[in-house]
Amino acid sequence: MTARLRALVLPGLVLSALAGCQVAPQGPATRPVPRPEAATPLPSPESAAIARHFARVEADLASRGLLRTDGDAADVTFSRRALVENFVKIALYDEYVTRSGQLVARETPSRLRRWEQPIRLGLVFGDTVPEAQRARDRAEVSAYSRRLSGLARLPIRIVDPGQANFQVLILNEDDRRTIGPRLRALVPGIDATAINTIETIPRSTFCLVLAFSRGDSSVYSRAVAVIRAEHPERLRQSCIHEELAQGMGLANDSPAARPSIFNDDEEFALLTRHDALLLKILYDRRLRPGMTEAEARPIVETIAAELMGGES
């Protein structure tokens, strides 16, 4: 089964980038005519091979009834008790820890973490990502960010990457593997573990998100999501849904969570009703960043009962 790298809290700064453009020189006696955009550089053979690989992965998952896009999941029921337990496992545990500059898979208890300030999304594309794909991804991120904003009751909007605090990087292999120098230039002092993690994503990792807080704070201040541009449409859409939601504080996965994108079985590609309730719980003002499971659980039970009404 393919593995995904999940949200982490790492002290330090975060990646941002600015896209550049060129202006064609105009002769003094000629009427200004817009110059066509330069052709997008072709991806490398390695990137093309990765695109073929993930096309096969998506086709295989879809053929087995996975990567579902019916977010209401009318055929899958879940109880109030399951919602509470899934919230505790997904929001109050970490999937990875840092050891000697490397990320190690080990589930550990954590504290409740979320954003307390408006999220400003910066959408950054690699040079080899075609414009048509950029347009589709911009539309997807824009629509999804509005939905997340409504669920969390937190302002979320797309801004110029230079003003963003949550960067969404959509990169082909060629762009991502050489991002290190650019990261260091744009973000002096960025954590070496974060750079190494982004540059060396194994093929088994679909996408990732790194969420940053200052010092020991449980309040997020920055985040970076990295999505493979080689993914076909549904996998790329799935990564956008999962990594943006996990970057908001739902950092772990659970094999018991269903119907949910926070489950490595890849059954659902898009945020489900279950997941929407998790976000509503996370951003309920009765909960506070830094809470432990013992502190948060009784409040989560009350909120879950209110959200599900008569459902047991």
Side-chain angles (χ1 to χ4, degrees), residues 5-9 94-96 113 208-211 220 243 246-252:
L5 190 64
R6 302 306 179 194
L8 305 168
V9 173
D94 285 336
E95 188 175 5
Y96 287 82
R113 295 172 309 221
L208 64 84
V209 63
L210 304 177
Y220 288 146
E243 304 312 331
Q246 292 207 297
M248 292 183 69
L250 297 172
N252 197 13

Side-chain angles (χ1 to χ4, degrees), residues 272-288:
T272 67
R273 172 176 174 261
H274 168 278
D275 301 332
L277 293 177
L278 294 182
L279 272 171
K280 286 186 175 182
I281 294 173
L282 178 62
Y283 280 86
D284 191 289
R285 305 315 295 179
R286 285 169 285 187
L287 293 171
R288 301 186 310 278

Side-chain angles (χ1 to χ4, degrees), residues 57-294:
V57 168
E58 180 179 289
D60 175 66
L61 292 171
S63 72
R64 293 188 280 123
L66 304 177
L67 291 179
R68 292 173 54 174
T69 58
D70 54 327
D72 60 346
D75 61 318
V76 183
T77 60
F78 58 93
S79 67
R80 185 174 64 204
R81 173 53 48 195
L83 183 66
V84 170
E85 295 304 323
N86 291 342
F87 178 86
V88 168
K89 185 62 68 173
I90 292 168
L92 295 169
Y93 281 78
D94 285 336
E95 188 175 5
Y96 287 82
V97 296
T98 304
R99 292 287 182 271
S100 302
Q102 300 292 324
L103 299 176
V104 179
R106 195 181 86 182
E107 189 173 81
T108 55
S110 186
R111 292 176 178 268
L112 188 141
R113 295 172 309 221
R114 69 186 184 198
W115 294 80
E116 292 288 280
Q117 61 176 310
I119 295 176
R120 303 184 304 277
L121 293 172
L123 197 51
V124 180
F125 294 95
D127 293 339
T128 59
V129 181
E131 183 54 45
Q133 180 176 326
R134 298 185 191 199
R136 290 192 296 271
D137 292 346
R138 285 190 194 99
E140 181 66 35
V141 172
S142 178
Y144 186 51
S145 65
R146 289 194 296 271
R147 184 181 179 196
L148 293 177
S149 178
L151 292 170
R153 296 184 179 180
L154 184 75
I156 303 175
R157 62 190 179 95
I158 297 177
V159 301
D160 182 277
Q163 281 73 53
N165 54 17
F166 191 140
Q167 304 289 352
V168 182
L169 311 184
I170 300 179
L171 309 173
N172 278 320
E173 189 76 0
D174 320 308
D175 309 307
R176 181 186 52 76
R177 291 181 66 178
T178 59
I179 200 71
R182 189 178 184 189
L183 286 177
R184 293 184 181 93
L186 290 171
V187 192
I190 187 171
D191 190 281
T193 300
I195 295 174
N196 182 65
T197 298
I198 291 170
E199 285 193 323
T200 61
I201 300 173
R203 186 177 288 197
S204 58
T205 297
F206 289 10
C207 39
L208 64 84
V209 63
L210 304 177
F212 299 75
S213 59
R214 298 184 184 280
D216 295 327
S217 173
S218 294
V219 175
Y220 288 146
S221 58
R222 303 278 179 175
V224 183
V226 183
I227 296 166
R228 292 182 184 273
E230 289 95 349
H231 282 325
E233 290 293 321
R234 195 181 301 185
L235 271 182
R236 210 162 65 252
Q237 188 181 26
S238 173
C239 275
I240 289 170
H241 274 237
E242 183 166 7
E243 304 312 331
L244 266 62
Q246 292 207 297
M248 292 183 69
L250 297 172
N252 197 13
D253 288 304
S254 171
R258 185 173 186 262
S260 180
I261 59 175
F262 307 116
N263 186 322
D264 278 334
D265 63 5
E266 312 299 343
E267 181 180 8
F268 290 90
L270 308 183
L271 198 79
T272 67
R273 172 176 174 261
H274 168 278
D275 301 332
L277 293 177
L278 294 182
L279 272 171
K280 286 186 175 182
I281 294 173
L282 178 62
Y283 280 86
D284 191 289
R285 305 315 295 179
R286 285 169 285 187
L287 293 171
R288 301 186 310 278
M291 279 184 164
T292 64
E293 176 183 347

